[in-house]
Amino acid sequence: MKLPRGFYDRPTLDVASDLLGKVLVHERRGVRTSGTIVEVEAYIGESDPACHAAPGPTRRNEPLYGTPGHAYVYLNYGIHYLVNVVTEAHGSPAAVLIRALAPLEGIDVMRRRRRGAVRNDHDLCRGPGNLTMAMGITLAENRVDLVGARLFIEDRGIEIGPIAWGRRIGITVGTDRLWRACVAGHPAVSKGARTA
């Protein structure tokens, strides 16, 4: 079942924990890739120095202020695309970064997109940049409605283990906030974060 708009129109930390075990699906040129979400990070408001909304509204961060349930995709350090889920009410900038997936569908396609750079399936979508490369997610998906048919999240009733919360990683500010959630001990979770 595709997640409805109301799922995203809630406090960001609640959305973050509830995204674990859900399935991110991307349909591109007739090819479907998907994976179970096993690691996420929350970014909340202009008072969060690590959130793109910290400087206030800009053209780049405009999706963060928009309708919940849309994708916010950006290019990080000119290298990797990162995909976020916009949360909370319109005008309240917040999002959840999807950091890692356990691949489900289109694994052969994911391997081709990663150009053989992985040893096993758990490595395919570990880390937010690797995830988007494997899934074929680019800036073309920025602002896409997650209630639509191109990029969306489903509840397939997948059972997950305990959830662990820890510090956000890969940032230099706002590292004191324990806003990274993951499926504890899952092999697809970022290295150094599995025992958070």
Side-chain angles (χ1 to χ4, degrees):
M1 179 184 73
K2 191 178 297 181
L3 298 180
R5 180 92 51 217
F7 176 91
Y8 306 102
D9 190 7
R10 297 183 296 140
T12 304
L13 295 178
D14 292 343
V15 176
S17 62
D18 290 346
L19 278 171
L20 296 174
K22 302 301 188 290
V23 177
L24 179 67
V25 181
H26 186 214
E27 300 273 4
R28 182 179 182 200
R29 298 175 185 162
V31 175
R32 170 181 282 218
T33 50
S34 72
T36 306
I37 300 170
V38 296
E39 184 182 6
V40 297
E41 283 178 344
Y43 292 87
I44 308 170
E46 295 175 356
S47 63
D48 176 2
C51 182
H52 283 188
T58 66
R59 184 174 180 182
R60 181 192 193 200
N61 70 23
E62 187 179 8
L64 287 175
Y65 291 82
T67 305
H70 283 74
Y72 172 46
V73 181
Y74 61 88
L75 186 61
N76 191 44
Y77 299 123
I79 303 171
H80 300 295
Y81 299 109
L82 304 189
V83 61
N84 300 259
V85 173
V86 176
T87 58
E88 305 205 13
H90 188 281
S92 299
V96 176
L97 170 68
I98 302 178
R99 285 198 56 88
L101 304 174
L104 291 174
E105 299 168 285
I107 292 175
D108 289 343
V109 174
M110 290 183 183
R111 285 186 172 277
R112 284 198 302 274
R113 288 174 177 162
R114 291 290 315 278
R115 298 179 181 89
V118 296
R119 295 181 181 177
N120 60 62
D121 291 350
H122 292 303
D123 292 332
L124 284 170
C125 299
R126 177 189 294 128
N130 294 332
L131 180 162
T132 54
M133 184 183 295
M135 294 282 285
I137 297 171
T138 68
L139 289 179
E141 280 68 52
N142 189 34
R143 304 172 187 262
V144 164
D145 191 343
L146 297 173
V147 182
R150 179 167 153 194
L151 180 67
F152 53 92
I153 300 174
E154 293 181 331
D155 184 348
R156 298 186 184 177
I158 295 172
E159 296 289 333
I160 59 169
I163 295 174
W165 289 87
R167 297 179 190 275
R168 297 177 296 186
I169 55 181
I171 56 175
T172 57
V173 294
T175 55
D176 57 321
R177 295 177 167 108
L178 304 181
W179 288 354
R180 179 175 45 78
C182 66
V183 177
H186 196 285
V189 168
S190 301
K191 292 178 181 179
R194 292 178 212 167
T195 58

